[in-house]
Amino acid sequence: DSGVTQTPKHLITATGQRVTLRCSPRSGDLSVYWYQQSLDQGLQFLIQYYNGEERAKGNILERFSAQQFPDLHSELNLSSLELGDSALYFCASSPSRQPEIYNEQFFGPGTRLTVL
Amino acid sequence: AQSVTQPDIHITVSEGASLELRCNYSYGATPYLFWYVQSPGQGLQLLLKYFSGDTLVQGIKGFEAEFKRSQSSFNLRKPSVHWSDAAEYFCAVGADLFSGGYNKLIFGAGTRLAVHP
């Protein structure tokens, strides 16, 4: 158990819908990262938040957005869902005390999204 | 641009045999290197990491990895594989401050390990 929690574990929805994935980082971790794992793209970095602020963006679609709240939990919002958005979405947190300084990332169990 | 290559998509070994999973990276500066393992239906668990110092790093579950700058490699090894090691293994490189990047992890495509009894 990494200490990172994600809910829900599974999510099944229809095309065009909007969903919200939730992540609670390890206690004390200020950085939260979101990754997408799909069969065709592999594991791809989406976005990073540090202490409530967006710090870096990766291959994140404009239909997707995220935020980190004062209690440090984060949400990933996916809208206008398409079949190709079906994937495993991971959240990770890092104990880095500065957003640019690297440290290992601890991953949650993931949310499996199925778009029908 | 940074990249990670795991040349072997699938590897099958017999229980008790030794294991080496290959990882090559492309990165201009000193890399931060990681190996993660993903069991079926599970998240990613960190096996070991290399930031600096001793190029042979020890991890959990009896795994070790050796950083070879001249070969741009960070191969994962285990002297004797157990059936419970069957999983998918991912090598990753992390960007650092001086690369002008940010703290994302760039993953290889993964190597799926099967263990025969």
Side-chain angles (χ1 to χ4, degrees):
Chain A
D1 184 356
S2 68
V4 178
T5 60
Q6 290 187 248
T7 56
K9 196 166 186 178
H10 299 278
L11 200 48
I12 301 174
T13 188
T15 55
Q17 295 298 303
R18 172 189 170 93
V19 297
T20 297
L21 313 183
R22 182 187 169 103
C23 167
S24 293
R26 299 186 325 153
S27 177
D29 285 357
L30 300 178
S31 276
V32 168
Y33 307 78
W34 286 96
Y35 292 84
Q36 179 194 59
Q37 184 179 34
S38 62
L39 285 175
D40 53 345
Q41 298 290 324
L43 272 159
Q44 301 259 323
F45 168 74
L46 295 178
I47 197 163
Q48 178 201 4
Y49 276 81
Y50 178 84
N51 203 21
E53 292 187 4
E54 181 187 304
R55 297 298 303 190
K57 268 187 173 180
N59 300 324
I60 188 166
L61 299 171
E62 285 194 12
R63 300 183 285 109
F64 296 0
S65 65
Q67 52 186 328
Q68 187 179 26
F69 295 87
D71 67 352
L72 300 178
H73 92 270
S74 178
E75 293 181 356
L76 180 66
N77 301 296
L78 314 177
S79 61
S80 303
L81 285 167
E82 302 175 359
L83 296 177
D85 298 328
S86 295
L88 194 51
Y89 291 85
F90 286 110
C91 167
S93 74
S94 169
S96 293
R97 305 320 295 172
Q98 298 176 50
E100 297 85 7
I101 301 301
Y102 208 85
N103 211 323
E104 61 262 43
Q105 296 178 20
F106 296 90
F107 282 75
T111 293
R112 182 167 295 282
L113 173 66
T114 302
V115 182
L116 302 175
Chain B
Q2 302 128 331
S3 64
V4 177
T5 302
Q6 293 180 249
D8 305 305
I9 298 174
H10 295 278
I11 283 185
T12 300
V13 299
S14 298
E15 193 168 17
S18 64
L19 172 70
E20 183 169 29
L21 301 183
R22 295 182 292 164
C23 172
N24 293 97
Y25 65 89
S26 171
Y27 190 69
T30 300
Y32 297 101
L33 295 162
F34 306 82
W35 276 99
Y36 283 85
V37 60
Q38 184 179 24
S39 298
Q42 302 295 315
L44 294 159
Q45 183 182 22
L46 180 66
L47 285 175
L48 47 77
K49 64 185 181 187
Y50 172 78
F51 281 8
S52 63
D54 194 345
T55 56
L56 184 63
V57 293
Q58 302 296 321
I60 62 171
K61 304 185 179 188
F63 285 93
E64 67 177 27
E66 187 170 12
F67 169 59
K68 292 186 177 180
R69 185 187 300 275
S70 61
Q71 298 176 21
S72 298
S73 69
F74 189 57
N75 294 348
L76 182 71
R77 301 193 294 247
K78 187 169 185 178
S80 177
V81 171
H82 188 262
W83 64 266
S84 61
D85 293 323
E88 188 149 23
Y89 292 79
F90 292 92
C91 181
V93 63
D96 66 16
L97 174 64
F98 301 105
S99 75
Y102 33 82
N103 293 332
K104 66 179 181 181
L105 285 173
I106 299 168
F107 286 90
T111 297
R112 187 169 296 278
L113 174 67
V115 180
H116 279 177

